Amino acid sequence: MGTASRLLLLLLHNLLLLLPPPCAFGFVPSLDSDFTFTLPAGRKECFFQPMRQGASLEVEYQVLDGAGLDVDFYLESPKGEILVFHQRKSDGVHTVETEDGDYMFCFDNTFSTISEKVIFFELVLDNMGEGEQEDWKKYITGTDMLDMKLEDILESINNVKARLSKSLQIQTLLRAFEARDRNIQESNFDRVNFWSLVNLGVMVVVSAVQVYMLKSLFEDKRKSRT
């Protein structure tokens, strides 16, 4: 092994020693989750999300299917205060700064007695663990010799992670929009077929009545004499 190869291996070994142990890196915590469910007519469904002080909660929802494509929505704080209340909306986006406790958000379809609704919603939780973000720094020593500090590397990784998370969120929302548009198109297709059959039936009946009436006009009602 040549001198250049030994120097390269030694340099890589020293760089590995400067890195923190596995799982020591701290990323800005951001959790995304989505859910689709069916809300029956005359029913209300509520969900609970535990949050911490100084975090951020974003709720985005869409009504994908159902008559009117609307639903009542409200968001309640751990103290019982109504933070958001919307009536008969098809979609919405709401972001709140949170405190310690369980936040409740509900979808209300009690105003509808016949139609059930298919609802999609997504939760985005930011800053859920910033208190542990700086713990990784205690594992790092001698980073002054590096041209690029590990803080800069971590910042770049966090930026990439945030943009990837945003891309995934946008793709999820696009899939929800596509599902809602497809449901609307299928509903319109069924309506067009139904009314086309009705019109066809009416035309057949009207044609039969017209033929019968015309035939009756030219019938000779005089009885033949013998």
Side-chain angles (χ1 to χ4, degrees):
M1 182 180 295
T3 304
S5 300
R6 285 197 297 269
L7 290 176
L8 179 60
L9 289 177
L10 181 60
L11 178 60
L12 291 176
H13 180 265
N14 292 333
L15 288 176
L16 290 175
L17 290 178
L18 292 175
L19 293 176
C23 302
F25 285 106
F27 298 98
V28 177
S30 179
L31 305 177
D32 299 345
S33 60
D34 55 84
F35 187 60
T36 302
F37 70 100
T38 299
L39 182 60
R43 293 284 300 277
K44 178 176 69 173
E45 293 288 346
C46 294
F47 302 86
F48 294 86
Q49 176 60 49
M51 299 298 296
R52 59 173 295 168
Q53 181 71 32
S56 175
L57 170 63
E58 178 180 322
V59 183
E60 181 163 358
Y61 69 92
Q62 295 181 37
V63 182
L64 302 181
D65 195 14
L69 293 177
D70 54 359
V71 72
D72 292 346
F73 172 83
Y74 65 89
L75 176 63
E76 184 176 308
S77 70
K79 297 179 180 179
E81 301 174 351
I82 302 297
L83 303 177
V84 178
F85 179 70
H86 280 172
Q87 287 184 309
R88 309 293 291 268
K89 296 290 186 179
S90 62
D91 55 71
V93 182
H94 308 287
T95 304
V96 295
E97 300 298 325
T98 62
E99 57 188 15
D100 290 328
D102 294 335
Y103 282 75
M104 180 178 71
F105 56 98
C106 299
F107 300 93
D108 192 347
N109 194 33
T110 55
F111 59 85
S112 177
T113 57
I114 300 176
S115 176
E116 64 181 17
K117 307 293 174 61
V118 178
I119 299 175
F120 162 85
F121 69 88
E122 182 180 19
L123 297 180
V124 180
L125 314 179
D126 287 327
N127 304 325
M128 289 294 290
E130 282 191 347
E132 301 175 356
Q133 185 178 356
E134 303 297 327
D135 291 344
W136 62 274
K137 292 185 178 180
K138 64 184 179 181
Y139 297 102
I140 302 175
T141 57
T143 58
D144 295 337
M145 68 181 64
L146 299 178
D147 294 335
M148 185 176 186
K149 293 185 178 180
L150 292 181
E151 290 90 340
D152 299 330
I153 299 176
L154 181 60
E155 182 180 358
S156 300
I157 295 176
N158 280 331
N159 290 334
V160 173
K161 181 176 180 292
R163 293 177 182 178
L164 289 176
S165 299
K166 189 63 177 179
S167 299
L168 291 176
Q169 180 184 1
I170 294 175
Q171 290 177 359
T172 303
L173 294 178
L174 290 177
R175 287 196 298 269
F177 278 119
E178 180 185 0
R180 184 174 67 176
D181 294 341
R182 183 174 63 251
N183 291 330
I184 294 175
Q185 291 176 357
E186 291 177 353
S187 177
N188 292 336
F189 179 75
D190 294 337
R191 291 179 181 178
V192 169
N193 287 339
F194 172 76
W195 288 110
S196 297
L197 291 176
V198 171
N199 291 332
L200 179 61
V202 171
M203 292 175 61
V204 170
V205 172
V206 170
S207 300
V209 172
Q210 289 179 345
V211 170
Y212 174 78
M213 294 182 64
L214 289 174
K215 184 178 180 180
S216 64
L217 290 176
F218 293 97
E219 284 183 350
D220 189 1
K221 298 183 179 180
R222 292 176 301 174
K223 296 181 179 180
S224 58
R225 299 179 181 180
T226 55

